[in-house]
Amino acid sequence: MASHGREKKDKPQRRKKKNKDGLLSTQDNTDDDGGVLHDMDLPDDWTVAASSVASSRFGLDDDDLLLDDIDENNVEEVNRSLEAAAARAAKLTEALSIATTITSEKRATKREGGYRVLFKAITQYATGNEGMEILESRWDIVLEACLNTLQGKGNSTPAEQYAACRVLEASSVVLGEDRDDIVEKLNGPLKKIINATGRVAQVRSAALRCLAMVHFICGTNCLEEGEDATAVLTLCEKVSAESYRGETVSPILRATALDCWSLLSTTFPDAFIAAGDSDDDFNLGQGLQLLPLLAECLDSTDQSLRRSAGECVSMIHECRLNLGMDEEEAANRTERAYRRGSWDGSEWEVLMDEVKQRIAELSVESGHHMSKKDKKEQRATFRDFMSTIVDDESPEEIVNWRGGKVTLNSWQEIIKLNFVRHCLQGGFQIQFMTNETLQ
């Protein structure tokens, strides 16, 4: 894939022009580390999925190593499965060796292609305990390459920086839980990128998603205050605002911040998210403090931001309804509207009525400003939100994979699933079946 930046600049400067894709950019060319940054945007639909050109260049042009259903009593199928596992391990080892050459590679397209291959290998070939151990044995090399790229060393392009974030995010899922050492190494560098208003929005979004995933998968309750998940939750709240650090925040970054906030909120008790009113004796829930901002986001012209806000409200509403209810009561939908977690009589009642009305409007919205595909998707999505927020019904999503399926009946479960699925892309199925942390 072609690079979206030049290979060399004479000196750091602030520019304002259109790149070859016709996208306007006004990015600072230096970051806090003094690294030279390229002053162009990435397309909104930018992805790290490895292209066929990049894969074949590094010898990873096959897709026949994924898991198949096997009959354990069939010797031939068992042997074929073992051979496939050995092939995946070999491909993973081969791909991880690329990390040692990325920092010395002079061509930006070659470096970006290397990250794409690393991403594919980590998500699709790093399966089970063996895959985790292979990645662990080369983790320091992968980490060093990614951090060098994120710091702008070697004149790295935004496309490379984005890909490096995605490699780190996927690696955290494979390396697994109870890894505060990974969190501690990535906290500072990722926050620096998120706070750098001169960085491309997609790079900052990828860094924020990586930071949230690292805390969600690897973090524990032993991290110091200011370095823990609560601090990242607060950062997401700030970044999701209309402006941050004196600059207008891109809708892409705002939507990502809300998605990350929703993910991390699933690690906290319902009361931490949705308990209290202004006259209560305990602290106001984090989600309640966010409601005015979410109501404003629902009026945005950006479809992704509206969707992220709607999902966030749905989860907060679900947490609110769950307060004070045991499992038997929570299963009885007739009681859901009349229990302790209701908005009735609270200071949030009027605001929630307005939110319900807006979500109902979005569930039937039509007009020429949206494509048929976008309108259909928005209506379906907001009908799901409306079922929870207006009718107090639990959502339902069925995940099928080779050999079985699982049914999800809460927004917290759906949010976690969608975040992990976005992270792993084509490797979601095989990781879902082999990764102990995800099971």
Side-chain angles (χ1 to χ4, degrees):
M1 181 170 291
S3 169
H4 290 257
R6 293 183 294 275
E7 296 289 336
K8 182 177 180 180
K9 285 185 179 292
D10 294 332
K11 61 180 180 179
Q13 56 184 343
R14 184 175 179 86
R15 302 174 65 103
K16 182 176 182 180
K17 68 174 187 176
K18 290 185 177 180
N19 62 17
K20 63 182 181 181
D21 293 318
L23 299 171
L24 188 63
S25 173
T26 56
Q27 312 297 343
D28 286 330
N29 288 0
T30 57
D31 63 5
D32 294 337
D33 296 314
V36 180
L37 307 178
H38 289 264
D39 57 344
M40 74 295 294
D41 295 325
L42 297 175
D44 290 350
D45 58 352
W46 191 257
T47 177
V48 73
S51 65
S52 59
V53 175
S55 297
S56 61
R57 182 183 298 159
F58 288 93
L60 296 179
D61 53 354
D62 57 74
D63 292 301
D64 58 352
L65 303 178
L66 301 183
L67 290 179
D68 292 319
D69 298 334
I70 63 170
D71 180 359
E72 294 183 356
N73 295 318
N74 187 314
V75 176
E76 182 179 348
E77 289 190 7
V78 170
N79 289 337
R80 180 167 56 86
S81 176
L82 293 174
E83 290 173 359
R88 287 195 301 272
K91 288 289 186 180
L92 175 62
T93 301
E94 176 188 357
L96 290 176
S97 66
I98 296 171
T100 62
T101 66
I102 286 180
T103 54
S104 59
E105 175 59 52
K106 301 300 182 182
R107 291 168 291 179
T109 53
K110 188 80 170 180
R111 295 194 301 265
E112 182 191 342
Y115 279 122
R116 289 175 180 274
V117 172
L118 281 175
F119 178 82
K120 177 179 178 179
I122 291 169
T123 56
Q124 297 188 20
Y125 301 150
T127 57
N129 289 330
E130 183 180 12
M132 184 269 289
E133 291 171 358
I134 293 174
L135 177 58
E136 174 69 35
S137 68
R138 293 159 177 79
W139 168 238
D140 288 341
I141 298 173
V142 173
L143 177 63
E144 180 183 4
C146 291
L147 291 182
N148 281 341
T149 296
L150 294 178
Q151 292 167 2
K153 296 180 180 179
N155 206 19
S156 63
T157 66
E160 294 172 64
Q161 296 163 14
Y162 174 89
C165 287
R166 298 303 305 277
V167 167
L168 292 173
E169 182 185 1
S171 296
S172 69
V173 177
V174 173
L175 292 174
E177 57 190 352
D178 297 332
R179 293 296 304 269
D180 282 346
D181 59 307
I182 296 177
V183 180
E184 290 169 347
K185 289 179 180 178
L186 292 178
N187 250 339
L190 291 175
K191 287 180 180 178
K192 185 174 292 186
I193 294 171
I194 297 164
N195 289 329
T197 56
R199 295 272 184 149
V200 174
Q202 288 88 342
V203 175
R204 297 173 69 194
S205 296
L208 185 53
R209 291 189 73 93
C210 180
L211 182 63
M213 182 66 84
V214 166
H215 277 270
F216 176 70
I217 295 289
C218 303
T220 70
N221 295 326
C222 300
L223 293 165
E224 296 182 0
E225 184 177 354
E227 302 296 326
D228 55 4
T230 304
V232 181
L233 203 69
T234 301
L235 176 62
C236 291
E237 293 169 1
K238 294 178 179 179
V239 176
S240 64
E242 190 171 356
S243 63
Y244 177 62
R245 295 172 69 90
E247 298 284 345
T248 300
V249 183
S250 163
I252 294 174
L253 183 55
R254 296 184 70 189
T256 298
L258 292 181
D259 290 341
C260 294
W261 189 94
S262 296
L263 175 74
L264 292 175
S265 293
T266 65
T267 66
F268 293 92
D270 291 334
F272 181 85
I273 301 301
D277 287 303
S278 60
D279 56 351
D280 287 333
D281 294 329
F282 43 83
N283 292 331
L284 199 61
Q286 292 285 107
L288 303 188
Q289 301 176 53
L290 198 61
L291 282 177
L293 174 65
L294 297 175
E296 176 263 317
C297 290
L298 289 172
D299 290 327
S300 170
T301 58
D302 185 82
Q303 185 177 4
S304 296
L305 182 56
R306 293 197 302 266
R307 183 210 60 79
S308 296
E311 186 174 69
C312 203
V313 173
S314 299
M315 193 204 66
I316 294 170
H317 183 77
E318 181 178 76
C319 291
R320 180 79 172 188
L321 295 180
N322 287 339
L323 292 177
M325 298 298 292
D326 57 32
E327 293 183 2
E328 182 178 353
E329 290 176 311
N332 187 344
R333 192 184 72 81
T334 305
E335 297 181 2
R336 289 173 72 92
Y338 305 101
R339 63 196 188 199
R340 175 182 166 187
S342 171
W343 301 103
D344 296 344
S346 73
E347 66 172 301
W348 310 104
E349 181 178 4
V350 174
L351 178 59
M352 283 303 298
D353 286 341
E354 294 174 355
V355 168
K356 292 176 183 180
Q357 178 63 33
R358 179 56 178 156
I359 286 180
E361 293 171 355
L362 291 171
S363 70
V364 295
E365 186 177 49
S366 62
H368 298 294
H369 64 286
M370 297 173 63
S371 67
K372 289 184 178 180
K373 179 181 178 181
D374 288 343
K375 282 188 286 189
K376 182 178 180 180
E377 180 180 345
Q378 176 174 289
R379 289 171 181 172
T381 300
F382 278 86
R383 279 197 296 268
D384 291 339
F385 297 156
M386 189 171 67
S387 294
T388 294
I389 297 172
V390 177
D391 301 327
D392 297 323
E393 294 181 350
S394 299
E396 179 178 287
E397 181 165 336
I398 299 175
V399 183
N400 294 294
W401 75 90
R402 298 165 185 166
K405 66 179 181 179
V406 62
T407 301
L408 307 180
N409 294 114
S410 77
W411 283 109
Q412 293 193 18
E413 292 175 339
I414 292 172
I415 286 168
K416 289 186 283 190
L417 170 79
N418 288 338
F419 206 96
V420 172
R421 181 155 42 194
H422 177 280
C423 168
L424 298 175
Q425 295 191 13
F428 172 74
Q429 285 268 347
I430 195 167
Q431 289 295 334
F432 194 74
M433 289 187 289
T434 62
N435 189 313
E436 292 183 359
T437 302
L438 301 182
Q439 294 173 352

